[in-house]
Amino acid sequence: MPELPEVETVVRGLQSVLPGRRIVEFRSGKINVIKDLALLGDQIPGSRLVAVRRYGKFLHLELEPRASENARLFILIHLGMTGQLTVGAADEPVAPHTHIFFTLDDGRELRFRDPRRFGRVQIVSESRREELLGKLGLDPLEASAEQFRKQIANRRARIKALLMDQHVFRGMGNIYTDESLWRARIHPSRLGANLTAAEIAKLHSAVQHVLHEAIRLRGSSVSDYVDSEGQNGEFQLRHRVYQREGKKCSRCGTKIRRIIVAGRSSHFCPQCQRAPRTRKLRKKAPRRHAERRIKTAPVTTKTPE
DNA sequence: CTTACGGCCTGGGTGC
DNA sequence: TGCACCCAGGCCGTAA
């Protein structure tokens, strides 16, 4: 599924093609997946695309402001789990579940396809864009070690949940969270507040290493992910834990396990990533101490002589 | 602040 | 070969 490295790969592909192109036609398939289409949709044809950017898992296409108005418009796209955004010749056969077509002035077509329809395409004003993206957390690739640490220390949530929470870090999903935790040797159930400074530092570099490596290999093609040219990524071949339940850990040979943490399926090595201690340890009857104190006090009779 | 859960979707896997 | 069924998974809203 598309996470930060996949979206980054798509964005880079589109950056070499879209800027400067004009959208001459814009139409949707049988199912309209665009929110608020009536509001802004008629402003799309004739507009020129000026920039393609990534923000967390969101892609946005910036449109050149019209001469008549100064409002800047953006096409905001989230690929969900199975979304694809590709550019090809306009006369190419249309794959099933293709929902949106942007015909470009060079004869090509930008298409949005999404079998499961968890993805979203929105045409938004600049203020609406701020509203939607402003809530998102740090970009894990841009965060310094200290910024990263601050997002985790003192948090009572599980590290798995923190890494995947888009309001904490933008862009991490299930694959890269599991892969990063494995690399840093941290169990997904550990609480943020219980990680040592050294562990958080290690996690910071693990996250960045894994994301950079995944971008270098053009993402993980699991589910339906393809890049802007319809090509598969390669990083799924390097997964150490994700979807490798029962296979051997490449570091120690122990069988990879899968459990549910914070409602998400989580893959880890039980040997390399030690489970946190349960708080069973301090469940002993608390009265003991009091009793002991009472008993011990009078017993201390010193035998004189 | 944190977790749990339902809903949105469809294809792929399982079992018969 | 087919069919019923289950479920993952990002994200949001709501409830606990």
Side-chain angles (χ1 to χ4, degrees), chain A residues 97 115-118 155-157:
Chain A
H97 310 292
R116 291 194 197 174
R117 282 190 258 151
F118 274 28
R155 294 288 238 109
R156 310 276 313 147

mmCIF file of all heavy atoms in Angstrom, chain A residues 97 115-118 155-157, chain B residues 1-4 8-11:
data_model
loop_
_atom_site.group_PDB
_atom_site.id
_atom_site.type_symbol
_atom_site.label_atom_id
_atom_site.label_comp_id
_atom_site.label_asym_id
_atom_site.label_seq_id
_atom_site.Cartn_x
_atom_site.Cartn_y
_atom_site.Cartn_z
ATOM 1 N N HIS A 97 -11.711 -0.057 -12.751
ATOM 2 C CA HIS A 97 -11.618 0.766 -11.541
ATOM 3 C C HIS A 97 -10.865 2.066 -11.753
ATOM 4 O O HIS A 97 -10.341 2.641 -10.813
ATOM 5 C CB HIS A 97 -10.983 -0.002 -10.381
ATOM 6 C CG HIS A 97 -11.599 -1.340 -10.138
ATOM 7 N ND1 HIS A 97 -12.887 -1.476 -9.660
ATOM 8 C CD2 HIS A 97 -11.131 -2.584 -10.332
ATOM 9 C CE1 HIS A 97 -13.172 -2.764 -9.569
ATOM 10 N NE2 HIS A 97 -12.122 -3.459 -9.975
ATOM 11 N N PRO A 115 -9.069 0.291 -7.033
ATOM 12 C CA PRO A 115 -10.046 -0.791 -6.886
ATOM 13 C C PRO A 115 -10.841 -0.733 -5.573
ATOM 14 O O PRO A 115 -12.048 -0.917 -5.583
ATOM 15 C CB PRO A 115 -9.184 -2.051 -6.950
ATOM 16 C CG PRO A 115 -7.969 -1.641 -7.698
ATOM 17 C CD PRO A 115 -7.749 -0.204 -7.356
ATOM 18 N N ARG A 116 -10.188 -0.482 -4.486
ATOM 19 C CA ARG A 116 -10.921 -0.514 -3.211
ATOM 20 C C ARG A 116 -11.540 0.814 -2.805
ATOM 21 O O ARG A 116 -12.234 0.889 -1.808
ATOM 22 C CB ARG A 116 -10.004 -1.014 -2.095
ATOM 23 C CG ARG A 116 -9.682 -2.465 -2.286
ATOM 24 C CD ARG A 116 -9.088 -3.078 -1.062
ATOM 25 N NE ARG A 116 -8.445 -4.314 -1.438
ATOM 26 C CZ ARG A 116 -7.727 -5.048 -0.608
ATOM 27 N NH1 ARG A 116 -7.550 -4.644 0.625
ATOM 28 N NH2 ARG A 116 -7.181 -6.157 -1.024
ATOM 29 N N ARG A 117 -11.212 1.817 -3.538
ATOM 30 C CA ARG A 117 -11.819 3.136 -3.312
ATOM 31 C C ARG A 117 -11.620 3.683 -1.902
ATOM 32 O O ARG A 117 -12.510 4.327 -1.346
ATOM 33 C CB ARG A 117 -13.308 3.102 -3.648
ATOM 34 C CG ARG A 117 -13.527 3.169 -5.142
ATOM 35 C CD ARG A 117 -14.981 3.367 -5.457
ATOM 36 N NE ARG A 117 -15.622 2.149 -5.879
ATOM 37 C CZ ARG A 117 -16.906 1.884 -5.682
ATOM 38 N NH1 ARG A 117 -17.666 2.739 -5.059
ATOM 39 N NH2 ARG A 117 -17.403 0.761 -6.125
ATOM 40 N N PHE A 118 -10.476 3.400 -1.324
ATOM 41 C CA PHE A 118 -10.161 4.046 -0.048
ATOM 42 C C PHE A 118 -9.428 5.358 -0.309
ATOM 43 O O PHE A 118 -9.208 6.150 0.590
ATOM 44 C CB PHE A 118 -9.258 3.149 0.800
ATOM 45 C CG PHE A 118 -10.017 2.159 1.620
ATOM 46 C CD1 PHE A 118 -11.246 1.698 1.206
ATOM 47 C CD2 PHE A 118 -9.504 1.694 2.816
ATOM 48 C CE1 PHE A 118 -11.951 0.777 1.966
ATOM 49 C CE2 PHE A 118 -10.196 0.774 3.579
ATOM 50 C CZ PHE A 118 -11.421 0.310 3.159
ATOM 51 N N ARG A 155 5.038 9.983 25.803
ATOM 52 C CA ARG A 155 3.748 9.556 25.256
ATOM 53 C C ARG A 155 3.413 8.174 25.783
ATOM 54 O O ARG A 155 4.237 7.272 25.760
ATOM 55 C CB ARG A 155 3.801 9.531 23.722
ATOM 56 C CG ARG A 155 3.976 10.883 23.135
ATOM 57 C CD ARG A 155 2.695 11.700 23.285
ATOM 58 N NE ARG A 155 2.250 12.114 21.974
ATOM 59 C CZ ARG A 155 1.170 11.631 21.368
ATOM 60 N NH1 ARG A 155 0.393 10.780 21.962
ATOM 61 N NH2 ARG A 155 0.856 12.042 20.177
ATOM 62 N N ARG A 156 2.179 8.010 26.224
ATOM 63 C CA ARG A 156 1.757 6.749 26.833
ATOM 64 C C ARG A 156 1.331 5.732 25.784
ATOM 65 O O ARG A 156 1.032 4.599 26.122
ATOM 66 C CB ARG A 156 0.604 6.995 27.804
ATOM 67 C CG ARG A 156 0.854 8.106 28.804
ATOM 68 C CD ARG A 156 1.635 7.650 30.007
ATOM 69 N NE ARG A 156 1.115 6.413 30.556
ATOM 70 C CZ ARG A 156 1.875 5.481 31.135
ATOM 71 N NH1 ARG A 156 3.176 5.673 31.201
ATOM 72 N NH2 ARG A 156 1.340 4.399 31.631
ATOM 73 N N ALA A 157 1.233 6.131 24.558
ATOM 74 C CA ALA A 157 0.781 5.208 23.512
ATOM 75 C C ALA A 157 1.902 4.264 23.093
ATOM 76 O O ALA A 157 3.074 4.526 23.326
ATOM 77 C CB ALA A 157 0.294 5.997 22.306
ATOM 78 P P DC B 1 -4.062 16.059 24.574
ATOM 79 O OP1 DC B 1 -2.697 16.564 24.396
ATOM 80 O OP2 DC B 1 -4.978 16.008 23.465
ATOM 81 O "O5'" DC B 1 -3.996 14.607 25.198
ATOM 82 C "C5'" DC B 1 -3.110 14.352 26.282
ATOM 83 C "C4'" DC B 1 -3.156 12.880 26.579
ATOM 84 O "O4'" DC B 1 -4.475 12.545 27.049
ATOM 85 C "C3'" DC B 1 -2.894 12.009 25.353
ATOM 86 O "O3'" DC B 1 -1.987 10.971 25.714
ATOM 87 C "C2'" DC B 1 -4.266 11.435 24.999
ATOM 88 C "C1'" DC B 1 -4.964 11.417 26.345
ATOM 89 N N1 DC B 1 -6.449 11.568 26.246
ATOM 90 C C2 DC B 1 -7.278 10.572 26.794
ATOM 91 O O2 DC B 1 -6.749 9.598 27.344
ATOM 92 N N3 DC B 1 -8.624 10.712 26.706
ATOM 93 C C4 DC B 1 -9.136 11.783 26.106
ATOM 94 N N4 DC B 1 -10.455 11.864 26.052
ATOM 95 C C5 DC B 1 -8.319 12.802 25.550
ATOM 96 C C6 DC B 1 -6.991 12.662 25.637
ATOM 97 P P DT B 2 -1.321 10.118 24.578
ATOM 98 O OP1 DT B 2 -0.031 9.669 25.122
ATOM 99 O OP2 DT B 2 -1.382 10.865 23.313
ATOM 100 O "O5'" DT B 2 -2.270 8.851 24.452
ATOM 101 C "C5'" DT B 2 -2.341 7.931 25.531
ATOM 102 C "C4'" DT B 2 -3.460 6.962 25.322
ATOM 103 O "O4'" DT B 2 -4.724 7.643 25.377
ATOM 104 C "C3'" DT B 2 -3.456 6.248 23.967
ATOM 105 O "O3'" DT B 2 -2.949 4.932 24.141
ATOM 106 C "C2'" DT B 2 -4.924 6.242 23.533
ATOM 107 C "C1'" DT B 2 -5.660 6.834 24.720
ATOM 108 N N1 DT B 2 -6.812 7.684 24.338
ATOM 109 C C2 DT B 2 -8.089 7.249 24.654
ATOM 110 O O2 DT B 2 -8.311 6.205 25.243
ATOM 111 N N3 DT B 2 -9.089 8.088 24.256
ATOM 112 C C4 DT B 2 -8.956 9.283 23.578
ATOM 113 O O4 DT B 2 -9.943 9.945 23.269
ATOM 114 C C5 DT B 2 -7.605 9.674 23.273
ATOM 115 C C7 DT B 2 -7.343 10.946 22.544
ATOM 116 C C6 DT B 2 -6.603 8.862 23.668
ATOM 117 P P DT B 3 -2.987 3.900 22.956
ATOM 118 O OP1 DT B 3 -1.973 2.885 23.244
ATOM 119 O OP2 DT B 3 -2.970 4.647 21.695
ATOM 120 O "O5'" DT B 3 -4.420 3.218 23.088
ATOM 121 C "C5'" DT B 3 -4.807 2.611 24.332
ATOM 122 C "C4'" DT B 3 -6.189 2.028 24.165
ATOM 123 O "O4'" DT B 3 -7.144 3.094 23.975
ATOM 124 C "C3'" DT B 3 -6.335 1.097 22.955
ATOM 125 O "O3'" DT B 3 -6.970 -0.091 23.391
ATOM 126 C "C2'" DT B 3 -7.196 1.892 21.972
ATOM 127 C "C1'" DT B 3 -8.003 2.779 22.901
ATOM 128 N N1 DT B 3 -8.453 4.062 22.304
ATOM 129 C C2 DT B 3 -9.784 4.404 22.395
ATOM 130 O O2 DT B 3 -10.621 3.689 22.928
ATOM 131 N N3 DT B 3 -10.109 5.618 21.841
ATOM 132 C C4 DT B 3 -9.258 6.506 21.214
ATOM 133 O O4 DT B 3 -9.671 7.557 20.756
ATOM 134 C C5 DT B 3 -7.876 6.075 21.155
ATOM 135 C C7 DT B 3 -6.867 6.974 20.496
ATOM 136 C C6 DT B 3 -7.543 4.900 21.696
ATOM 137 P P DA B 4 -7.236 -1.259 22.387
ATOM 138 O OP1 DA B 4 -7.131 -2.512 23.173
ATOM 139 O OP2 DA B 4 -6.427 -1.062 21.171
ATOM 140 O "O5'" DA B 4 -8.766 -1.043 21.994
ATOM 141 C "C5'" DA B 4 -9.748 -0.989 23.023
ATOM 142 C "C4'" DA B 4 -11.127 -1.016 22.387
ATOM 143 O "O4'" DA B 4 -11.460 0.317 21.931
ATOM 144 C "C3'" DA B 4 -11.233 -1.925 21.159
ATOM 145 O "O3'" DA B 4 -12.472 -2.613 21.220
ATOM 146 C "C2'" DA B 4 -11.158 -0.960 19.981
ATOM 147 C "C1'" DA B 4 -11.791 0.293 20.554
ATOM 148 N N9 DA B 4 -11.282 1.535 19.973
ATOM 149 C C8 DA B 4 -9.986 1.875 19.711
ATOM 150 N N7 DA B 4 -9.842 3.081 19.209
ATOM 151 C C5 DA B 4 -11.132 3.567 19.146
ATOM 152 C C6 DA B 4 -11.652 4.797 18.703
ATOM 153 N N6 DA B 4 -10.910 5.791 18.239
ATOM 154 N N1 DA B 4 -12.996 4.968 18.772
ATOM 155 C C2 DA B 4 -13.749 3.965 19.248
ATOM 156 N N3 DA B 4 -13.362 2.769 19.689
ATOM 157 C C4 DA B 4 -12.027 2.634 19.610
ATOM 158 P P DC B 8 -21.084 1.671 5.229
ATOM 159 O OP1 DC B 8 -22.236 2.480 4.824
ATOM 160 O OP2 DC B 8 -21.161 0.197 5.290
ATOM 161 O "O5'" DC B 8 -19.873 2.034 4.269
ATOM 162 C "C5'" DC B 8 -19.511 3.404 4.111
ATOM 163 C "C4'" DC B 8 -18.135 3.473 3.553
ATOM 164 O "O4'" DC B 8 -17.186 2.967 4.511
ATOM 165 C "C3'" DC B 8 -17.909 2.603 2.298
ATOM 166 O "O3'" DC B 8 -17.705 3.466 1.194
ATOM 167 C "C2'" DC B 8 -16.641 1.802 2.577
ATOM 168 C "C1'" DC B 8 -16.070 2.497 3.798
ATOM 169 N N1 DC B 8 -15.268 1.627 4.686
ATOM 170 C C2 DC B 8 -14.018 2.082 5.130
ATOM 171 O O2 DC B 8 -13.643 3.200 4.772
ATOM 172 N N3 DC B 8 -13.281 1.281 5.922
ATOM 173 C C4 DC B 8 -13.741 0.080 6.282
ATOM 174 N N4 DC B 8 -12.969 -0.660 7.065
ATOM 175 C C5 DC B 8 -15.023 -0.393 5.847
ATOM 176 C C6 DC B 8 -15.742 0.407 5.057
ATOM 177 P P DC B 9 -18.262 3.111 -0.217
ATOM 178 O OP1 DC B 9 -18.312 4.328 -1.024
ATOM 179 O OP2 DC B 9 -19.461 2.252 -0.092
ATOM 180 O "O5'" DC B 9 -17.065 2.255 -0.762
ATOM 181 C "C5'" DC B 9 -17.295 0.934 -1.109
ATOM 182 C "C4'" DC B 9 -15.978 0.279 -1.423
ATOM 183 O "O4'" DC B 9 -15.236 0.022 -0.217
ATOM 184 C "C3'" DC B 9 -16.185 -1.068 -2.068
ATOM 185 O "O3'" DC B 9 -16.069 -0.856 -3.471
ATOM 186 C "C2'" DC B 9 -15.080 -1.960 -1.516
ATOM 187 C "C1'" DC B 9 -14.483 -1.165 -0.359
ATOM 188 N N1 DC B 9 -14.542 -1.856 0.955
ATOM 189 C C2 DC B 9 -13.375 -2.418 1.476
ATOM 190 O O2 DC B 9 -12.336 -2.328 0.817
ATOM 191 N N3 DC B 9 -13.412 -3.022 2.684
ATOM 192 C C4 DC B 9 -14.550 -3.080 3.358
ATOM 193 N N4 DC B 9 -14.544 -3.678 4.554
ATOM 194 C C5 DC B 9 -15.760 -2.515 2.844
ATOM 195 C C6 DC B 9 -15.712 -1.924 1.646
ATOM 196 P P DT B 10 -16.627 -1.918 -4.443
ATOM 197 O OP1 DT B 10 -16.795 -1.246 -5.729
ATOM 198 O OP2 DT B 10 -17.743 -2.621 -3.794
ATOM 199 O "O5'" DT B 10 -15.411 -2.927 -4.559
ATOM 200 C "C5'" DT B 10 -14.161 -2.453 -5.000
ATOM 201 C "C4'" DT B 10 -13.130 -3.536 -4.818
ATOM 202 O "O4'" DT B 10 -12.944 -3.800 -3.415
ATOM 203 C "C3'" DT B 10 -13.488 -4.863 -5.482
ATOM 204 O "O3'" DT B 10 -12.404 -5.205 -6.310
ATOM 205 C "C2'" DT B 10 -13.662 -5.833 -4.329
ATOM 206 C "C1'" DT B 10 -12.842 -5.186 -3.211
ATOM 207 N N1 DT B 10 -13.325 -5.442 -1.833
ATOM 208 C C2 DT B 10 -12.402 -5.751 -0.854
ATOM 209 O O2 DT B 10 -11.213 -5.844 -1.064
ATOM 210 N N3 DT B 10 -12.926 -5.939 0.402
ATOM 211 C C4 DT B 10 -14.257 -5.855 0.767
ATOM 212 O O4 DT B 10 -14.612 -6.042 1.924
ATOM 213 C C5 DT B 10 -15.165 -5.532 -0.312
ATOM 214 C C7 DT B 10 -16.630 -5.411 -0.021
ATOM 215 C C6 DT B 10 -14.668 -5.342 -1.542
ATOM 216 P P DG B 11 -12.536 -6.389 -7.369
ATOM 217 O OP1 DG B 11 -12.283 -5.814 -8.695
ATOM 218 O OP2 DG B 11 -13.739 -7.185 -7.107
ATOM 219 O "O5'" DG B 11 -11.259 -7.234 -6.951
ATOM 220 C "C5'" DG B 11 -10.022 -6.557 -6.739
ATOM 221 C "C4'" DG B 11 -9.108 -7.464 -5.948
ATOM 222 O "O4'" DG B 11 -9.614 -7.639 -4.607
ATOM 223 C "C3'" DG B 11 -8.965 -8.868 -6.521
ATOM 224 O "O3'" DG B 11 -7.643 -9.295 -6.248
ATOM 225 C "C2'" DG B 11 -9.980 -9.661 -5.727
ATOM 226 C "C1'" DG B 11 -9.879 -9.007 -4.359
ATOM 227 N N9 DG B 11 -11.096 -9.057 -3.543
ATOM 228 C C8 DG B 11 -12.389 -8.988 -3.981
ATOM 229 N N7 DG B 11 -13.269 -9.015 -3.007
ATOM 230 C C5 DG B 11 -12.492 -9.110 -1.862
ATOM 231 C C6 DG B 11 -12.870 -9.179 -0.495
ATOM 232 O O6 DG B 11 -14.016 -9.162 -0.013
ATOM 233 N N1 DG B 11 -11.778 -9.271 0.352
ATOM 234 C C2 DG B 11 -10.471 -9.293 -0.075
ATOM 235 N N2 DG B 11 -9.536 -9.386 0.880
ATOM 236 N N3 DG B 11 -10.090 -9.225 -1.338
ATOM 237 C C4 DG B 11 -11.159 -9.137 -2.184
#
